[in-house]
Amino acid sequence: MERALPPHQSGQRVRQQHRRSGRRRAAVAVAGVLSLVAGGLAAVAAAGPGAAAATGATTGLGSNWYASAPYLMPEDNSPPDAAAVMNATGQKAFQLAFILDKGGCSPAWGGTSSIDTDTTMPAVIQAIRAKGGDVSVSVGGYGGTKLGQTCGTPEATAAGYQKVVTKYGLKAVDFDLEEPEYENAAAIRNEIGAARILQRDNPGLYISITTAGTGAGTGWFGQQMLNEAKAQGFTPDNYSIMPFDGGFNGAAAQIDALVRFNAILQTTFGWSEANAYAHEGVSLMNGRTDAAEYFRQADFQTVLDFALAHKLARYTYWSVNRDRQCPGTVDPGLSGSCSSVVQNDWDFTKFTVRFAGATPPTTPPTTPPPTSPTSGVCTDPPWSATTTYTGGNKVSYSGHRYHAKWWTLNENPSASGQWGVWADDGPC
């Protein structure tokens, strides 16, 4: 999602179109976020850091909802109105992404927007909680600098994350431990130690650990992460793998990885098969993945059936921003704001609702949710793979307007994302 990179990095599960590299975020005002502050929430956003207290007024949800919370980026990738998604699907919780280090062991959204001065997220969280929902916050992700890499000790890392828990009144946190952090033994020691300290100091805090999935369940670094947790005597609510971007072909390959990961959990922790499944989760990716795998609604249903039958502890996916059909060409390639497969809006979120034990609405809500943005007339010249662009050049692509942040050639705008060369200026 930026320069031409290997497949496992170029899309960063589009989830990291925003989190993976350490580049500056595009400062883009997005209509989806603005809609969240409408109807009185603008006052929360304008109130500054002190408004965070308003977001803490929640008793939390059942763990089934945190276990089903799909990932949402409220500041990037044409974010949808979370309240509208709740109306349309019945989903009650979202996994807000991602907290990285801004420098000096300082937590910030995307590594750039310090939580100390953040006013956007309190408004987003308040809108969700006003409808009876809640959020979890995901720390880490693929790429970028993580607190575990810079804070020096588990205690310092935990102190950084505790600021996030306190500011937003969190009842759930997700540790997304993957490249390049989980290749650093000291960083993983700090992250696992921080998770253990947060669990100790915040009774009832729901903690998930998410890591890369492979055909063998997880790779060498994933096993080392589990070994570190065992050494520290730490047990989270679940260990979840991401069975995509690894040569997976449909739901059968994903289920096979889950079975193999279950065996790894048994061997590592001495658990029975049932106990291992009770501590195991899965995090999917809807539609087209960075590695050009395709997971459609039928694949999600098959994995959901397996998760329910084996009583898995978590079933989620990346991401709600992508849970809609791409405008124009259904499959324009990898995108952070649509799935690149045929679907109705929010089809994939309805699977997480079912995992939580709820039934998605079968009739439209009283106020229909907004659908995918309809494309207007694009006045900027269409993007061309053979044209060299420099910073400030404007183009149109798939019904959206983009501007280049620096020199680029043959980089698809829809696959660029927050950290890439193209900034999405919204629909035409």
Side-chain angles (χ1 to χ4, degrees), residues 36-403:
L36 288 173
V37 301
L41 292 177
V44 176
T55 69
T58 176
T59 57
L61 299 171
S63 62
N64 60 315
W65 284 111
Y66 298 120
S68 74
Y71 289 85
L72 171 68
M73 296 197 79
E75 294 184 304
D76 302 283
N77 284 351
S78 299
D81 181 345
V85 177
M86 296 172 75
N87 285 341
T89 65
Q91 182 57 258
K92 289 185 178 296
F94 298 94
Q95 192 83 51
L96 304 186
F98 290 95
I99 290 290
L100 294 170
D101 180 40
K102 189 175 182 180
C105 191
S106 176
W109 291 102
T112 61
S113 178
S114 172
I115 68 164
D116 295 332
T117 55
D118 167 44
T119 58
T120 297
M121 290 302 182
V124 173
I125 295 170
Q126 177 66 10
I128 294 170
R129 288 177 175 169
K131 293 187 65 63
D134 199 12
V135 301
S136 175
V137 166
S138 186
V139 303
Y142 189 113
T145 302
K146 325 300 173 52
L147 266 64
Q149 295 172 271
T150 60
C151 292
T153 65
E155 290 75 17
T157 307
Y161 290 140
Q162 184 65 55
K163 292 179 182 178
V164 181
V165 172
T166 301
K167 165 146 185 153
Y168 302 110
L170 299 180
K171 302 296 186 294
V173 176
D174 172 51
F175 282 74
D176 194 321
L177 306 180
E178 43 183 314
E179 292 186 14
E181 182 185 31
Y182 84 152
E183 298 173 4
N184 182 324
I188 288 301
R189 187 175 306 113
N190 290 340
E191 295 285 353
I192 292 297
R196 176 180 54 81
I197 292 168
L198 289 183
Q199 185 185 67
R200 180 197 68 196
D201 294 347
N202 301 270
L205 182 69
Y206 180 95
I207 297 179
S208 56
I209 303 290
T210 305
T211 196
T214 70
T218 192
W220 190 88
F221 292 110
Q223 179 66 69
Q224 299 315 299
M225 181 270 292
L226 295 176
N227 292 344
E228 180 64 38
K230 180 180 180 180
Q232 294 197 30
F234 169 67
T235 303
D237 286 86
N238 62 77
Y239 293 103
S240 298
I241 59 169
M242 298 174 284
F244 56 86
D245 283 354
F248 293 94
N249 183 20
Q254 295 179 310
I255 289 173
D256 185 58
L258 289 169
V259 172
R260 292 173 182 271
F261 187 57
N262 181 270
I264 291 173
L265 292 176
Q266 291 182 54
T267 301
T268 303
F269 298 107
W271 292 336
S272 67
E273 178 183 281
N275 197 20
Y277 277 127
H279 290 87
E280 180 178 356
V282 61
S283 180
L284 305 169
M285 183 171 182
N286 59 316
R288 187 191 194 280
T289 73
D290 317 271
E293 305 153 330
Y294 285 85
F295 298 103
R296 296 176 169 83
Q297 293 91 324
D299 297 302
F300 268 56
Q301 182 64 62
T302 299
V303 176
L304 175 62
D305 290 341
F306 176 86
L308 293 175
H310 291 78
K311 296 182 172 59
L312 262 67
R314 186 169 176 235
Y315 174 99
T316 185
Y317 81 98
W318 178 269
S319 68
V320 180
N321 301 62
R322 307 180 72 245
D323 194 9
R324 44 200 172 185
Q325 185 170 305
C326 298
T329 303
V330 170
D331 186 1
L334 186 65
S335 173
S337 58
C338 56
S339 66
S340 300
V341 299
V342 176
Q343 68 161 101
N344 297 312
D345 288 349
W346 327 132
D347 272 356
F348 292 95
T349 302
K350 291 180 180 179
F351 290 106
T352 61
V353 172
R354 294 187 183 102
F355 180 78
T359 302
T362 55
T363 57
T366 304
T367 303
T371 56
S372 303
T374 55
S375 299
V377 177
C378 292
T379 56
D380 293 321
W383 171 79
S384 170
T386 59
T387 299
T388 298
Y389 299 98
T390 58
N393 287 165
K394 297 181 179 181
V395 299
S396 60
Y397 185 81
S398 292
H400 274 237
R401 297 173 292 111
Y402 295 87
H403 74 266

